Amino acid sequence: MIAPSLAPCLTVVRPGLFATIQDLGRFGHQELGMPVAGALDPIGLRLANALVGNPAGTAGVEIALLGPALKVEADGVRVAVVGPMALSLEREGQSPQPLESHRSHTLARGDVLKLGAVTGAAVAYLAVAGGFALEPFLGSLSTYVRAGIGPLGGKPLGDGTRLPLNRSDAPPGADVELPEPPDYGGGPVRVVLGPQEDRFTAAAVETFLSATYRVGKDADRMGLRLDGPTLAHTGSADIPSDGLVTGSIQVPGNGQPILLLNDHQTAGGYAKIATVISADLPRVGRLSPGGALSFRAVTVEEAEAIRRRLEQTIAAWVRAIRPVRPAGGVDLEALYTENLVSGVVDIVNGNGDILNQEQMCGRAP
């Protein structure tokens, strides 16, 4: 048995502000009061895993605001970061080297990966080839900090935290990249109205679907309090407690909506005006305080069709992953795979006559 101090791992040398281990969620236990938790932006986690060759649901590090610095204590490791953030590599005897996100990087023992500020979104994701050698709870490695549930004692990464690796070295093969960062799209966040739409005035529903809201300062993994026009109830805002899902939009008595995210409670007693469709949850999971959003109603059938199209888009992004093109050089392997013949190609024969491709067909050399 390998001593814990010698087992391959990434060691936190600077914790950052709030980084947790997350997979795609802990499903099937909400009747016990257990939130699903999981990645706020599951698309980001899935793409990071694709870049290092992991199954889509492999747990990674969700980074909010400012990332940690991680030292490699393994023969090697392949990592990938997806999300808008700065990162750099410190290697003994060399100057710090900036690295790019949305691609993989193969690191060596002693390297320090520094993950900087997340800009333009609430979260970014780090995946490692092979994943982390951590013990799941109820079938998931997602961290639910409020109750201390999940790996690492249910806590964010701290100074000196050791993240054990399932691999002692990086897998063979070249590093790969996404040709361009994924485009999550814009426009209104799509919702299905209800289940308590009838608890709101017609004017309130119209306002909800026409106004622009901003994410307030009270925003975390549990939910986003939205600042904007108040929404009037037909009576009391309170209802008998019933089940909640990620994306539920509750409206308490003050008329200000609350959009519930992954760490939400499993039941609540405020009327819900609408529910964000699953395809748009990654978009709202990326919102930071001050971010603007509006809403548009769709049917359940439309929501299902939108989700199917999203899955096709994600699959296309994964298929587009390619070997990293060398900086300032020619990638011969990529060049040989390109179709360099388009239309008619002209060539000069030995007599100085210009022959096109059609004239050359069937000619002896």
Side-chain angles (χ1 to χ4, degrees):
M1 179 179 294
I2 299 176
S5 60
L6 300 178
C9 71
L10 298 178
T11 298
V12 177
V13 296
R14 185 199 68 203
L17 290 180
F18 193 83
T20 57
I21 302 295
Q22 302 290 346
D23 56 24
L24 295 180
R26 183 174 289 105
F27 293 93
H29 306 287
Q30 292 188 80
E31 75 277 9
L32 304 175
M34 179 66 64
V36 171
L40 290 175
D41 173 12
I43 296 175
L45 178 60
R46 291 168 65 178
L47 291 177
N49 276 319
L51 286 166
V52 294
N54 290 342
T58 304
V61 180
E62 180 179 273
I63 302 156
L65 302 177
L66 179 68
L70 305 169
K71 184 176 182 179
V72 179
E73 297 190 20
D75 292 337
V77 64
R78 180 162 294 151
V79 303
V81 171
V82 168
M85 72 178 307
L87 55 152
S88 63
L89 170 66
E90 288 192 357
R91 181 167 287 171
E92 187 174 357
Q94 299 182 17
S95 300
Q97 174 187 352
L99 301 179
E100 296 179 352
S101 59
H102 302 100
R103 57 156 288 179
S104 69
H105 297 276
T106 300
L107 309 180
R109 184 180 293 276
D111 286 352
V112 176
L113 176 65
K114 288 191 170 182
L115 303 164
V118 183
T119 56
V123 290
Y125 292 88
L126 169 73
V128 301
F132 297 112
L134 296 167
E135 190 69 27
F137 177 74
L138 293 179
S140 171
L141 286 177
S142 285
T143 303
Y144 178 44
V145 172
R146 287 176 180 270
I149 290 170
L152 309 177
K155 299 177 181 179
L157 273 57
D159 191 20
T161 297
R162 294 172 61 85
L163 298 173
L165 302 172
N166 280 317
R167 294 184 60 99
S168 60
D169 204 349
D175 283 308
V176 296
E177 64 183 357
L178 286 164
E180 57 187 27
D183 181 3
Y184 287 65
V189 172
R190 291 158 294 193
V191 298
V192 174
L193 290 174
Q196 285 96 35
E197 176 192 358
D198 60 337
R199 300 296 294 257
F200 299 87
T201 66
V205 175
E206 181 179 352
T207 297
F208 174 73
L209 295 175
S210 61
T212 296
Y213 288 86
R214 290 196 175 273
V215 178
K217 60 182 179 60
D218 293 329
D220 57 20
R221 285 184 48 87
M222 189 173 181
L224 308 174
R225 290 184 180 271
L226 304 182
D227 295 333
T230 59
L231 303 176
H233 300 80
T234 55
S236 171
D238 298 329
I239 61 170
S241 289
D242 65 357
L244 297 171
V245 298
T246 303
S248 291
I249 301 177
Q250 291 184 312
V251 183
N254 65 4
Q256 294 292 301
I258 302 171
L259 198 167
L260 300 182
L261 297 180
N262 300 46
D263 287 0
H264 65 83
Q265 68 276 27
T266 59
Y270 293 133
K272 296 173 286 295
I273 194 169
T275 304
V276 176
I277 69 173
S278 64
D280 281 356
L281 287 175
R283 287 177 55 196
V284 298
R286 289 161 52 90
L287 288 171
S288 301
L293 71 163
S294 58
F295 300 99
R296 178 168 69 86
V298 298
T299 66
V300 171
E301 292 74 20
E302 288 173 324
E304 291 171 343
I306 293 167
R307 178 55 184 264
R308 287 192 292 269
R309 291 196 296 270
L310 174 63
E311 290 300 320
Q312 292 169 355
T313 299
I314 295 172
W317 287 336
V318 172
R319 288 195 302 270
I321 290 173
R322 65 191 184 192
V324 172
R325 297 176 185 265
V330 177
D331 186 343
L332 292 178
E333 181 179 351
L335 185 65
Y336 294 150
T337 63
E338 297 288 344
N339 177 14
L340 301 181
V341 179
S342 178
V344 176
V345 177
D346 292 334
I347 188 168
V348 178
N349 67 10
N351 297 323
D353 300 319
I354 297 177
L355 305 178
N356 64 31
Q357 189 177 8
E358 294 173 346
Q359 291 169 325
M360 292 179 62
C361 290
R363 291 177 62 99

